[in-house]
Amino acid sequence: QVQLVESGGGSVQAGGSLRLSCAASGSIFGSNVRGWYRQIPGKQRELVASITTAGSTNYADSVKGRFTISRDNAKNMVYLQMNSLKPEDTAVYYCNINGWLALKGGYNYWGQGTQVTVSS
């Protein structure tokens, strides 16, 4: 099994910055995609950013140019640097890992989430 633990959330004024971190532990081998999702109450969870083992990134249009996802494969860490934060970025942010293990198949795990609140 894999465990994911997010940290770094908090409250910040519009225009400020936060850096989220996600530590992964367990049976993590080979290639995988790690991502950050966010969810606003009453809304569906949405992808914010993702990054492959090789470093290819993908961002939601709403955060392009403001957020940067990165990972440290040796430490099984993924980060989300959030700059120029807007009130509409307020949400619970979740860490995700999606991968494949030979002879076992795919896996998908979520962290418990960390709250990000951006005030105007």
Side-chain angles (χ1 to χ4, degrees):
Q1 78 288 345
V2 176
Q3 294 84 44
L4 302 175
V5 180
E6 303 99 332
S7 62
S11 182
V12 66
Q13 285 188 294
S17 298
L18 286 173
R19 189 190 191 212
L20 305 184
S21 300
C22 178
S25 62
S27 300
I28 305 172
F29 302 99
S31 298
N32 57 69
V33 179
R34 300 192 68 174
W36 288 97
Y37 291 72
R38 65 187 181 188
Q39 187 166 25
I40 300 170
K43 300 291 185 179
Q44 294 185 352
R45 190 173 298 184
E46 64 175 357
L47 175 68
V48 176
S50 65
I51 184 167
T52 68
T53 303
S56 297
T57 57
N58 185 46
Y59 296 92
D61 288 341
S62 60
V63 307
K64 285 182 179 177
R66 300 188 298 120
F67 291 9
T68 302
I69 189 171
S70 60
R71 63 188 290 169
D72 184 334
N73 293 331
K75 296 185 178 296
N76 291 325
M77 297 287 292
V78 65
Y79 308 94
L80 185 67
Q81 179 66 46
M82 304 185 294
N83 298 326
S84 301
L85 283 162
K86 304 175 180 179
E88 49 263 46
D89 295 319
T90 296
V92 177
Y93 284 71
Y94 295 90
C95 180
N96 171 265
I97 184 168
N98 185 274
W100 183 270
L101 291 175
L103 305 180
K104 290 188 64 177
Y107 60 88
N108 189 73
Y109 293 95
W110 296 91
Q112 70 288 321
T114 185
Q115 177 71 45
V116 171
T117 301
V118 184
S119 59
S120 60

